[in-house]
Amino acid sequence: MEMELCCEEHEDPGMECTEYVAREAISVVADRDSPTKLPCGPAEEGDKLLRKKVLELGALNSLHPTWGQEVTVKMQCVLEDRTVVEKDWKLVFVVGEGDVNQALEECVISMHKGEITLLLADSQYAYGLLGREPDIPAWAPLLYQLQLLDIREKTDPLTLPIADRIRIGNQKRERGNFHFQREENSLAARAYCMALDVLTTCNKDGSSSGIEAEEEEVRDYRIKCLNNLATAQLKLGQGDEALHTSRDVLTLEPINVKALFRMGKILSDKGEYKEAMEVLKKALKLEPTTKAIHAELSKLVQRQLGDKDTQEWKAKPAKMLGDNITPFLCPSKKRTFGISWKFILGALVVALGSLVMSVILTARN
């Protein structure tokens, strides 16, 4: 999920990152020779991309969070110029599910409950080349002040109320949209799949717990997730998976034009022209003015004509001077020309016969 600014009216002095504190923190954490620096997460040899400084120790007898556990973190983030770009006094996320950037996940799994830490994160672990519009520029390192408030096991989504499932599912869907806009298609597809796991009205025993309005809302969000997932899969070159996902959309909504168009395009690319034509015609009937559907139908017709011409020629073995020659293309149907070769051969025989008779008669005379 994208960070949401959830600031309370009052400020927590223990977490307030003033300009002086930020300047000193960047200086201390960035100092490679400082004895207080702690590498966090993977880093290249001799290049600490994530550097942390513990400001206040937590409960040392407590365990570190592990992947798949849910944590609650008090967080504030500033740029090098001390501009506050993120602040959340109660940020909840599951470690390893990509709900936050990699820097936060890598740092949290090294913390104890109650610990307060400064984290200086290289842009490669934050928002990288693209930054984050409008507040985080490209290649910007970020300074976080974090406090780990709570660690618990992730709740099974099938035991949650439907309203909570919709909220969590939408957060993961929006995270997928964030990655998709940045052309991070693998991360986007992963987020959409996680959203689909949550967006359901089924209980653990297989029964449905939602009222009609909730079921309709869940269905609408599932359709959005599936359509977005299919688009991401296509960009990743996963045509078969995108076709399957598009069929899932049509199971929920048979007249979904986006899914029909995408399915028809995939089938056309796979050479399944008959089914592709039926699907695209159905999409065109629903939206007769959409130019993309007209263009795809025209492309499909051209492909069909091209394949028909190709099928008129078939491979045929041939021999020459007793050696096998690589099969070559020859017409499958005999074509008729203006003068038959049999007629020409007959005329040649008659002419030769006449010439021989003339020579014989001349010799006798």
Side-chain angles (χ1 to χ4, degrees), residues 12 46-47 78 81 114 124 202 205 209 216 219 225 277 281 288 297 319 333 347 349:
D12 186 340
D47 180 20
V78 298
D81 64 359
Q124 295 182 45
C202 293
D205 59 2
S209 61
E216 184 69 19
R219 187 185 73 91
C225 268
M277 181 65 73
K281 281 182 177 180
L297 277 169
K319 291 185 178 181
K333 295 181 180 180
V349 171

Side-chain angles (χ1 to χ4, degrees), residues 7-43:
C7 306
E8 299 177 1
E9 293 297 326
H10 62 280
E11 298 291 341
D12 186 340
M15 285 293 294
E16 181 63 19
C17 196
T18 63
E19 180 174 342
Y20 173 76
V21 172
R23 185 185 299 111
E24 291 299 311
I26 290 174
S27 175
V28 171
V29 179
D31 181 7
R32 293 181 182 273
D33 298 323
S34 170
T36 60
K37 72 186 180 193
L38 290 173
C40 174

Side-chain angles (χ1 to χ4, degrees), residues 59-74:
L60 298 180
N61 58 345
S62 66
L63 298 175
H64 297 294
T66 58
W67 294 82
Q69 287 188 316
E70 189 174 76
V71 297
T72 302
V73 176
K74 185 183 289 187

Side-chain angles (χ1 to χ4, degrees), residues 46-66:
D47 180 20
K48 299 296 186 294
L49 301 179
L50 293 174
R51 304 171 66 79
K52 62 175 282 193
K53 175 181 173 63
V54 179
L55 299 180
E56 184 177 321
L57 293 174
L60 298 180
N61 58 345
S62 66
L63 298 175
H64 297 294
T66 58

Side-chain angles (χ1 to χ4, degrees), residues 254-274:
I255 58 171
N256 188 282
V257 177
K258 289 183 179 179
L260 287 169
F261 173 74
R262 190 179 299 109
M263 181 177 170
K265 188 177 187 307
I266 296 171
L267 290 169
S268 177
D269 292 340
K270 290 168 65 70
E272 300 177 20
Y273 298 140
K274 183 177 180 181

Side-chain angles (χ1 to χ4, degrees), residues 89-294:
W89 285 169
K90 198 173 181 181
L91 174 65
V92 179
F93 63 91
V94 177
V95 181
E97 290 195 357
D99 295 333
V100 295
N101 63 42
Q102 190 178 356
L104 287 178
E105 288 192 330
E106 294 286 354
C107 185
V108 162
I109 60 177
S110 73
M111 296 175 68
H112 293 283
K113 185 176 179 179
E115 178 182 318
I116 299 177
T117 289
L118 285 177
L119 171 70
L120 184 60
D122 184 86
S123 61
Q124 295 182 45
Y125 281 80
Y127 295 98
L129 168 64
L130 299 177
R132 189 191 69 182
E133 293 293 338
D135 50 359
I136 300 178
W139 301 120
L142 299 177
L143 177 67
Y144 287 95
Q145 185 169 340
L146 306 171
Q147 181 179 10
L148 181 56
L149 300 177
D150 192 20
I151 310 168
R152 57 194 170 275
E153 294 301 320
K154 176 186 174 182
T155 306
D156 187 340
L158 298 184
T159 64
L160 294 172
I162 301 300
D164 288 344
R165 300 186 203 182
I166 292 173
R167 175 182 56 81
I168 296 172
N170 265 332
Q171 287 175 344
K172 294 186 180 298
R173 180 178 66 86
E174 289 169 2
R175 187 68 178 176
N177 293 343
F178 171 75
H179 287 303
F180 184 80
Q181 290 169 0
R182 296 165 63 88
E183 298 185 1
E184 299 166 343
N185 296 308
S186 294
L187 295 175
R190 181 168 174 257
Y192 292 138
C193 288
M194 289 182 179
L196 289 167
D197 290 340
V198 179
L199 289 169
T200 176
T201 58
C202 293
N203 296 321
K204 297 187 71 172
D205 59 2
S207 63
S208 179
S209 61
I211 60 177
E212 185 176 351
E214 288 178 333
E215 290 181 351
E216 184 69 19
E217 188 175 4
V218 168
R219 187 185 73 91
D220 289 343
Y221 284 129
R222 283 190 67 85
I223 290 171
K224 290 179 180 179
C225 268
L226 287 167
N227 267 326
N228 293 348
L229 174 59
T231 304
Q233 289 169 334
L234 274 180
K235 288 183 175 291
L236 290 169
Q238 300 171 352
D240 292 338
E241 291 83 353
L243 180 60
H244 178 76
T245 304
S246 297
R247 292 188 192 276
D248 288 344
V249 175
L250 295 174
T251 301
L252 295 173
E253 188 179 32
I255 58 171
N256 188 282
V257 177
K258 289 183 179 179
L260 287 169
F261 173 74
R262 190 179 299 109
M263 181 177 170
K265 188 177 187 307
I266 296 171
L267 290 169
S268 177
D269 292 340
K270 290 168 65 70
E272 300 177 20
Y273 298 140
K274 183 177 180 181
E275 187 178 0
M277 181 65 73
E278 293 174 358
V279 172
L280 288 172
K281 281 182 177 180
K282 187 174 181 180
L284 185 65
K285 186 176 180 180
L286 292 168
E287 290 190 7
T289 60
T290 302
K291 294 181 179 180
I293 301 176
H294 285 279

